[in-house]
């Protein structure tokens, strides 16, 4: 395996001699950089006739670092495609030292040292001399001799459950009467130490084995998107065990300039991670783009996983183009799981954004009932993906540990950088938004009201309706052990209208969440007439209907002028343009319902459609007799055709396997410059192929050969992307056998 090729190349510089005392040291912010460590530290002159080779000398150090060796098996690191020793902190591991002669504890004295970065200091945890002990103790470093034979010994080494996470350099030091003799720098003995969710003393400890398997060891995930009425899913290859990914993830902390002494703290790491994953202000990993223009980069919908993104960033040092919320969340999840922090992706449907955390999104209509785009600035995202990371929060009162919201999509500035979290999910649910970090912003994302106001010609505004249930209506994550949905809405908020929900809101208000004082007082009295509408499920390129239903609950006779506005929108709720404008009149008999249908033709929307096939409808109606305004809004996501993947023949580790990808163009136009991407962790490395043209109604077929590396249930993921059609996916689960050697 090749060493890193960019800024993290090892730079060896001699240790300054005057590091003792109170002299200030430069910041120690690079795991990749290192100092030369002297092989001899003489404290006295060596008399003539004395040969230092007569003292105990280390010949070789064995790290038991193979995938099937005891260390990687017991530390759950055997899946990492990496030649070095990888262990988890707070748990013992084995090494063997071969000396030039048998070790005699009566006259020989040696110890193992671990160093990380430059300027090693014991009080910073960057220099760790490990003492020999009779018995290992949890919570502290120690080494115990467990086996002795001829000139070799084996040590069981216990690391502290709070130690720095990163790549350490190992040395063995021998004490002589004339000073210290130390082994030479040997990259083969480098040791990666990660967080340990299996260790009760680690701050990321998770006590359920099935949850550990899902949130730490699962290298495949599911991202939920679409909208609340049409939930869609796509698989994502986290690839945290793939070749080069561990070094790429450690490099991110170097790029973020996080001091090494802080790299044992998951709160600090997840906070800097939420900043460095996006490129907004620090040239981080992924550059965001929400304008449907992806020149000189990859469209967000084309990515199938994190591996290519992280490897490209590690080698180039420049942001990878382009990402949107699910890409940021996917890459962030890879980072978390790779270094051992349990992580998962969460999708919030109807997510409030850019609302200054005031719990209010304002929609303004004019006196005719039409939406005023100049006054209506706030938007509602169809969905928004963020991450949760599992950790204790010793910086908060008891009870606020567990899942923490961390969000790397660049939305709002937090302490001078585009980042968000970690914010305690428990604190958000109970309204304790005073606790760091960024809890008010997340609270508003899931708790805002939509306030419909009528803007009068004289400049006054009258609140017509407040929708208190639309925002944060559904919050999902992936099921444990399966690809289905797990509803976690009640982890973020109490049920609407309950006493607990009101108390949480009052608590948030007490802690400084802003809310317009007029919301509860200016809303007009309930109306005699209710209005709702439904959008017919439709496939991309087809006609469909919007059905508007009015219900007159009174004994009065009413007439209404209704207006439907259909808009092409980004999934962030930002409008690109209006494609449908339709006005109609309705007569409402007492205590009766009336249904009106509006036909939406494909020619009206196809030429302007954006990549997620997202249409947004506003329906407003003015009761002519009372001038009362009724208003509703909904988003509809059209069904997008799928890719199909087939694997004929046998599926065996190490044997050639054929993968066939097929796609039929359903549009009434040819597709040009079509990029297809195929991914399969443990099966094949991500590969792409460009098809210059796919005529209408014709089928694309692509066959790729590979040699599976891992047995068990694996997944193939494919995406198709071109200017006319995006978010086209396909996936296939398959069982790979491992045949015994004959």
């Amino acid at each position: 395996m090749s060493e890193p090729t960019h800024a993290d190349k090892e730079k060896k510089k001699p240790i300054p001699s005057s590091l003792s005392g109170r002299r200030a040291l430069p910041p120690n912010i690079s795991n990749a950089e290192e100092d030369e460590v002297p092989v001899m530290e003489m404290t006295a002159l060596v008399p003539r006739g004395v040969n230092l080779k007569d003292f105990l000398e280390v010949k070789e150090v064995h790290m038991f670092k193979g995938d099937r060796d005891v260390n990687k098996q017991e530390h759950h690191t055997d899946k990492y495609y990496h030649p070095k020793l990888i262990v988890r902190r707070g748990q013992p591991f084995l090494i063997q030292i071969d000396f030039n002669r048998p070790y005699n504890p009566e006259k020989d004295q040696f110890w193992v040292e671990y160093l990380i970065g430059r300027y090693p200091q014991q009080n910073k945890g960057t220099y760790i001399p490990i003492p020999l002990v009779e018995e290992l103790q949890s919570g502290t470093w120690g080494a115990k001799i467990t086996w002795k034979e001829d000139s070799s010994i084996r040590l069981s080494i216990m690391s502290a459950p709070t130690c720095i996470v990163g790549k350490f350099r190992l040395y063995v030091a021998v004490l002589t009467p004339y000073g210290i003799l130390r082994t030479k720098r040997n990259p083969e003995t480098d040791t990666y130490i990660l967080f340990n969710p299996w260790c009760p003393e680690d701050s990321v400890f998770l006590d359920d084995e099935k949850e550990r398997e899902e949130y730490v060891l699962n290298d495949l995930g599911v991202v939920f998107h679409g909208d609340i009425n049409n939930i869609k899913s796509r698989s994502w290859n986290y690839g945290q065990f793939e070749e080069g990914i561990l070094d790429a993830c450690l490099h991110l902390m170097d790029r973020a300039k996080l001091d090494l002494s802080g790299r044992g703290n998951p709160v600090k790491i997840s906070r800097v991670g939420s900043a460095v994953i996006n490129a907004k202000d620090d040239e981080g990993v992924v550059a965001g783009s929400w304008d449907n223009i992806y020149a000189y980069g990859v469209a967000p919908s084309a990515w199938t996983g994190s591996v290519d993104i992280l490897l490209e960033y590690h080698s180039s040092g420049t942001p990878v183009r382009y990402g949107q919320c699910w890409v940021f969340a996917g890459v962030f999840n890879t980072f978390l799981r790779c270094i051992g922090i349990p992580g998962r992706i969460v999708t919030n449907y109807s997510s409030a954004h850019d609302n200054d955390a005031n719990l209010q999104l304002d929609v303004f209509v004019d006196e005719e009932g039409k939406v005023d785009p100049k006054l209506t600035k706030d938007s509602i995202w169809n969905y928004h993906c963020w991450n949760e990371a599992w950790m204790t929060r010793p910086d908060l009162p008891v009870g606020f540990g567990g899942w923490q919201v961390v969000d790397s999509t660049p939305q709002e500035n937090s302490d001078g950088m585009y980042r968000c979290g970690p914010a305690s999910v428990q604190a958000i649910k109970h309204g304790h938004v005073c606790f760091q970090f960024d809890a008010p912003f997340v609270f508003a994302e899931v708790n805002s009201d939509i306030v419909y106001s009528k803007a009068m010609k004289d400049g006054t505004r009258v609140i017509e309706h407040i929708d208190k249930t639309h925002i944060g209506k559904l919050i999902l994550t992936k099921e444990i052990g399966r690809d289905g949905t797990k509803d976690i809405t009640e982890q973020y908020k109490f049920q609407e209208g309950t006493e607990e929900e009101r108390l949480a809101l009052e608590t948030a208000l007490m802690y400084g969440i802003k809310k317009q004082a007029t919301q509860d007082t200016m809303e007009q009295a309930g109306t005699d007439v209710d209005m709702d509408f439904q959008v017919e499920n439709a496939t991309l390129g087809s006609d469909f209907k919007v059905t508007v239903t009015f219900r007159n609950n009174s004994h009065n006779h009413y007439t209404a002028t209704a207006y439907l506005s259909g808009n092409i929108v980004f999934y962030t709720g930002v409008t690109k343009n209006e494609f449908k404008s339709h006005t109609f009149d309705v007569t409402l008999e007492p205590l009766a319902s009336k249904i009106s249908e509006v036909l939406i033709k494909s020619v009206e929307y196809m030429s302007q459609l954006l990549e997620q096939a997202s249409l947004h409808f506003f329906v407003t109606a003015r009761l002519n007799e009372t001038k009362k305004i009724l208003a509703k809004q909904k988003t509809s996501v059209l069904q997008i055709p799928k890719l199909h993947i087939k694997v004929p023949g046998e599926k065996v580790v190490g044997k050639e396997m054929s993968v066939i990808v097929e796609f039929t163009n359903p549009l009434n136009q040819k597709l040009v410059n079509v990029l297809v991407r195929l991914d399969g962790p443990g099966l094949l490395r991500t590969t792409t192929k460009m098809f210059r043209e796919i005529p209408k109604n014709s089928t694309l077929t692509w066959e790729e050969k590979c040699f599976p590396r891992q047995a068990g249930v694996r997944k193939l993921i494919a995406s198709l992307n071109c200017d006319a059609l995006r978010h086209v996916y396909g996936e296939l689960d398959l069982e790979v056998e491992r045949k015994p050697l004959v």
Side-chain angles (χ1 to χ4, degrees):
M1 178 182 156
S2 60
E3 289 294 315
T5 57
H6 185 56
D8 55 349
K9 285 186 177 177
E10 294 175 348
K11 302 174 185 175
K12 296 189 178 183
K13 300 176 184 176
I15 297 177
S17 57
S18 56
L19 289 187
S20 58
R22 297 173 63 85
R23 179 180 170 189
L25 292 176
N28 201 359
I29 56 173
S30 174
N31 194 164
E33 291 185 355
E34 57 182 74
D35 287 317
E36 287 184 1
V37 176
V39 294
M40 289 194 297
E41 287 186 57
M42 294 296 100
T43 56
L45 291 174
V46 181
R48 285 185 184 177
V50 174
N51 187 350
L52 291 176
K53 294 197 176 225
D54 293 337
F55 295 103
L56 195 66
E57 182 184 353
V58 177
K59 290 297 186 183
E60 193 170 358
V61 180
H62 305 272
M63 304 301 290
F64 304 111
K65 57 189 179 181
D67 293 348
R68 300 194 180 184
D69 285 337
V70 62
N71 285 331
K72 286 189 174 178
Q73 288 289 321
E74 292 193 353
H75 285 254
H76 309 279
T77 58
D78 54 302
K79 289 185 179 180
Y80 285 89
Y81 194 75
H82 202 294
K84 305 286 178 68
L85 177 61
I86 305 169
V87 296
R88 299 187 187 275
R89 63 187 192 175
Q91 182 177 336
F93 60 93
L94 285 178
I95 69 169
Q96 179 175 313
I97 304 173
D98 298 339
F99 294 111
N100 60 336
R101 58 169 174 78
Y103 164 68
N104 182 350
E106 305 236 332
K107 68 173 188 176
D108 297 325
Q109 187 175 348
F110 78 94
W111 61 90
V112 175
E113 299 174 329
Y114 269 124
L115 286 76
I116 187 169
R118 299 184 64 195
Y119 321 117
Q121 292 176 279
Q122 195 168 348
N123 65 339
K124 296 279 191 182
T126 52
Y127 168 63
I128 305 165
I130 306 172
L132 283 179
V133 295
E134 291 293 321
E135 293 297 332
L136 297 178
Q137 291 186 341
S138 61
T140 185
W141 284 91
K144 177 186 177 182
I145 297 175
T146 60
W147 173 89
K148 224 194 300 190
E149 187 174 289
D150 298 329
S151 300
S152 299
I153 65 164
R154 284 184 187 167
L155 293 178
S156 178
I157 297 177
M158 172 71 82
S159 60
T162 56
C163 79
I164 292 168
V165 166
K167 182 176 77 170
F168 286 81
R169 312 187 296 281
L170 179 142
Y171 298 89
V172 181
V174 176
L175 184 64
T176 74
Y178 311 105
I180 297 171
L181 299 177
R182 188 179 278 111
T183 50
K184 292 180 180 177
R185 173 78 176 96
N186 181 7
E188 292 303 309
T189 61
D190 286 351
T191 305
Y192 291 78
I193 300 181
L194 310 180
F195 287 101
N196 192 353
W198 285 263
C199 173
E201 294 167 298
D202 197 307
S203 51
V204 301
F205 173 64
L206 195 56
D207 65 354
D208 185 288
E209 180 60 24
K210 286 195 182 320
E211 290 187 352
R212 291 190 291 249
E213 289 175 2
E214 179 68 54
Y215 300 133
V216 183
L217 299 181
N218 195 350
D219 57 357
L220 280 164
V222 176
V223 178
F224 297 106
H225 58 113
D227 72 79
I228 194 166
N229 298 310
N230 187 8
I231 293 167
K232 298 185 176 184
S233 66
R234 56 168 298 182
S235 292
W236 188 268
N237 174 17
Y238 298 128
Q240 67 265 37
F241 306 121
E242 296 295 313
E243 184 177 3
I245 294 300
L246 177 55
D247 291 298
C249 288
L250 296 181
H251 172 63
L252 297 189
M253 291 189 275
D254 287 0
R255 283 297 295 254
K257 298 182 178 179
L258 176 61
D259 195 277
L260 288 170
S261 62
R263 297 191 193 182
N265 184 340
V267 176
K268 289 183 178 179
I269 287 178
S270 60
R271 183 146 177 82
V272 301
S274 74
V276 78
I277 295 297
N278 72 72
K280 185 77 171 180
D281 47 19
D282 55 1
E283 291 294 292
V285 181
V286 180
S289 178
W290 284 267
D291 59 8
N292 211 43
I293 299 170
Y294 308 118
Y296 312 110
V298 175
S301 56
W303 298 112
T304 53
S306 310
V307 175
D308 283 359
I309 295 171
L310 285 165
L311 292 181
E312 182 181 332
Y313 183 73
H314 190 206
S315 65
S316 71
T318 56
V320 179
R321 297 176 292 190
Y322 292 99
Q324 291 177 4
C325 71
W326 70 92
V327 179
F328 292 112
V331 174
F332 200 179
N333 222 49
T334 299
F335 170 76
L336 292 169
R337 291 187 184 183
C338 184
I339 62 175
I341 300 174
R344 64 187 186 185
I345 293 180
V346 167
T347 301
N348 177 37
Y349 285 96
S350 298
S351 190
H353 280 250
D354 296 327
N355 53 26
D356 196 26
N358 68 348
L359 299 185
Q360 180 171 313
L361 289 127
D362 290 303
V363 176
F364 293 100
V365 296
D366 60 24
E367 292 188 41
E368 300 301 313
K370 294 185 178 181
V371 175
D372 188 328
K374 292 181 180 178
L375 292 176
T376 304
K377 302 296 184 185
D378 291 330
S379 65
I380 303 162
W381 292 33
N382 294 1
Y383 66 92
H384 177 51
C385 299
W386 58 65
N387 301 81
E388 287 180 354
W390 180 273
M391 66 191 73
T392 60
R393 289 298 300 269
D395 56 323
L396 302 184
V398 174
F400 293 115
W403 289 116
Q404 312 289 313
V405 173
V406 280
D407 190 349
S408 55
T409 301
Q411 303 160 82
E412 294 293 328
N413 196 290
S414 173
D415 296 334
M417 298 187 78
Y418 281 90
R419 56 186 168 187
C420 180
S424 166
V425 173
Q426 188 75 348
I428 291 161
K429 178 173 183 174
H430 290 272
H432 290 271
V433 296
C434 55
F435 298 131
Q436 56 189 16
F437 298 87
D438 308 309
F441 182 77
V442 181
F443 187 88
E445 283 184 297
V446 300
N447 282 293
S448 292
D449 296 339
I450 305 174
V451 179
Y452 294 91
S453 300
K454 182 162 62 176
M456 311 299 284
K457 291 178 181 176
D458 62 4
T460 59
R461 298 171 185 179
V462 178
I463 293 176
E464 295 283 338
H465 174 60
I466 299 175
D467 188 339
K468 299 186 177 186
T469 63
H470 187 84
I471 298 297
K473 205 166 194 175
L474 181 65
I475 304 172
L476 297 179
T477 191
K478 176 186 173 299
E479 268 187 301
I480 293 173
R482 301 171 62 186
D483 288 348
T485 61
K486 177 181 172 69
D487 186 344
I488 57 171
T489 311
E490 289 196 8
Q491 292 185 22
Y492 279 82
K493 54 201 294 189
F494 293 101
Q495 286 191 348
E496 298 285 348
T498 63
E499 188 61 35
E500 293 90 345
E501 187 250 352
R502 176 163 292 280
L503 184 59
L505 176 60
E506 289 174 356
T507 304
L509 292 170
M510 179 179 72
Y511 284 129
I513 282 275
K514 292 173 286 184
K515 187 176 184 184
Q516 298 291 341
T518 55
Q519 278 192 21
D520 296 322
T521 57
M522 285 185 61
E523 185 176 8
Q524 290 190 358
T527 179
D528 290 344
V529 179
D530 295 324
M531 180 193 72
D532 200 359
F533 72 93
Q534 300 297 325
V535 182
E536 182 183 4
N537 284 335
T539 302
L540 183 74
S542 66
D543 299 346
F544 61 93
K545 293 175 183 175
V546 177
T547 303
V548 186
T549 303
F550 296 87
R551 171 70 187 174
N552 185 353
N553 302 309
S554 73
H555 293 276
N556 302 322
H557 182 280
Y558 287 112
T559 60
T561 300
Y563 170 70
L564 178 144
S565 171
N567 298 273
I568 305 287
V569 293
F570 297 92
Y571 84 98
T572 58
V574 175
T575 299
K576 180 187 177 188
N577 54 1
E578 187 178 57
F579 72 88
K580 181 79 172 181
S581 175
H582 180 73
T583 302
F584 55 100
D585 293 319
V586 182
T587 300
L588 302 173
E589 300 296 337
L591 300 175
S593 296
K594 180 68 181 285
I595 294 175
S596 298
E597 291 183 342
V598 180
L599 180 64
I600 309 295
K601 295 184 177 180
S602 63
V603 293
E604 295 175 307
Y605 66 80
M606 276 301 295
S607 62
Q608 307 173 69
L609 204 59
L610 294 171
E611 64 177 81
Q612 295 204 33
S614 188
L615 306 177
H616 184 260
F617 294 95
F618 265 119
V619 177
T620 56
R622 185 186 75 245
L623 298 180
N624 297 320
E625 289 76 13
T626 63
K627 307 303 181 187
K628 172 70 179 175
I629 300 289
L630 308 174
K632 280 276 183 179
Q633 59 175 309
K634 287 183 182 175
T635 299
S636 175
V637 178
L638 299 168
Q639 298 290 342
I640 298 174
K642 291 192 172 185
L643 283 167
H644 297 283
I645 305 174
K646 296 187 291 188
V647 180
E650 63 178 358
K651 308 154 188 69
V652 179
V653 170
K655 284 198 170 186
E656 186 177 75
M657 185 176 83
S658 179
V659 180
I660 300 170
V661 180
E662 292 181 344
F663 174 74
T664 300
N665 177 10
L667 302 185
N668 196 28
Q669 67 182 78
K670 68 179 180 182
L671 303 177
V672 296
N673 297 328
V674 179
L675 182 71
V676 182
R677 181 180 297 258
L678 181 62
D679 198 353
L683 299 172
L684 51 78
R685 288 297 294 267
T686 307
T687 182
T688 59
K689 187 167 183 177
M690 177 68 79
F691 295 84
R692 292 298 170 197
E693 182 177 300
I694 307 176
K696 62 182 181 180
N697 300 318
S698 70
T699 299
L700 160 163
T701 302
W702 171 28
E703 183 172 2
E704 188 71 22
K705 307 283 189 182
C706 66
F707 292 85
R709 294 196 322 266
Q710 292 181 16
V713 177
R714 308 307 299 164
K715 189 185 289 280
L716 287 162
I717 311 166
S719 72
L720 178 146
N721 229 69
C722 63
D723 286 344
L725 199 56
R726 304 196 196 275
H727 281 270
V728 179
Y729 306 116
E731 55 189 64
L732 177 70
D733 290 320
L734 64 156
E735 181 86 32
V736 179
E737 298 178 74
R738 185 189 297 277
K739 290 196 173 173
L741 297 173
V742 179

